[in-house]
Amino acid sequence: MKNKLSNPTGVFIDPSRNIFVADGGNHRIQKWAPGATKAIIVAGGNGPGSESDQLYNPHGVYVDLTENIYIADIGNNRIQKWTPGATEGITVAGGNGRGTAANQLYSPQGVYVDITGNVFVADWGNHRVQKWTPGATEGITVAGGNGPGSAANQLYYPTDIYVINETIFVADGNKHRIQKWAPGATEAITVI
């Protein structure tokens, strides 16, 4: 059913108050306009899979100012970008199988895109945050990446991120804390 959610795992509200929902169990992203009684499918919705028109358990969702939709596609270990009205997405991060290499992700949970198009990924299974510049084939670690743990230079299953003025805030899931990484920092400060 178009309006029934199954395991919703992420939400994003754009400046027009449209609500985008990562409908994980239905392998799609839904868009709810203000006051709408029905959603429209704006990404995926073609069953679970790894084709360009499919998602597999999408988790995080981010919509930029030009209405491009970025999706943390956990089951495919990739970040997909869907342009407005697209019927297929393109991989902008990961997509090279699950792994620890710079061109791989491991169950990405959260995604954030800055004004210049840099894609930041909460790379859950690798205990790191990766930054992918526009057109990059590899990411660089900008937070964590030193194995799982509670030290100031570590993350332990990060689930979401937010970036403001190049400062990265990370929801560090299993350590029950929010970590703040200043630009270029090798260690974080616990803020919550």
Side-chain angles (χ1 to χ4, degrees):
M1 295 186 72
K2 190 176 244 183
N3 294 312
K4 187 171 182 177
L5 297 173
S6 175
N7 192 30
T9 51
V11 64
F12 184 89
I13 301 172
D14 73 9
S16 299
R17 296 186 304 144
N18 294 302
I19 301 170
F20 295 81
V21 179
D23 189 6
N26 288 317
H27 314 287
R28 65 189 180 187
I29 304 298
Q30 288 192 347
K31 176 182 175 182
W32 293 79
T37 58
K38 292 184 179 180
I40 60 170
I41 298 169
V42 292
N46 297 303
S50 60
E51 298 299 322
S52 60
D53 67 341
Q54 294 178 305
L55 299 170
Y56 193 166
N57 193 19
H59 195 86
V61 60
Y62 184 91
V63 182
D64 71 14
L65 295 175
T66 57
E67 299 182 12
N68 294 307
I69 303 166
Y70 294 83
I71 304 154
D73 190 10
I74 283 181
N76 291 311
N77 300 294
R78 66 186 181 184
I79 303 298
Q80 288 293 91
K81 175 184 175 182
W82 290 61
T83 58
T87 58
E88 296 182 346
I90 58 168
T91 301
V92 294
N96 297 298
R98 179 188 295 178
T100 61
N103 70 341
Q104 294 178 305
L105 299 170
Y106 185 161
S107 297
Q109 300 261 330
V111 60
Y112 183 93
V113 182
D114 71 13
I115 194 109
T116 61
N118 294 311
V119 177
F120 294 83
V121 183
D123 192 7
W124 183 84
N126 286 320
H127 313 287
R128 66 186 181 186
V129 173
Q130 291 288 90
K131 175 183 174 183
W132 295 65
T133 58
T137 58
E138 294 185 346
I140 58 169
T141 301
V142 293
N146 298 301
S150 58
N153 69 341
Q154 294 178 307
L155 295 170
Y156 196 39
Y157 296 112
T159 57
D160 209 358
I161 53 177
Y162 187 85
V163 181
I164 186 166
N165 298 327
E166 298 183 35
T167 298
I168 303 165
F169 293 84
V170 183
D172 197 14
N174 279 9
K175 288 301 170 185
H176 312 288
R177 64 186 182 177
I178 303 298
Q179 295 291 86
K180 176 183 174 183
W181 296 74
T186 58
E187 292 188 348
I189 298 168
T190 301
V191 293
I192 300 174

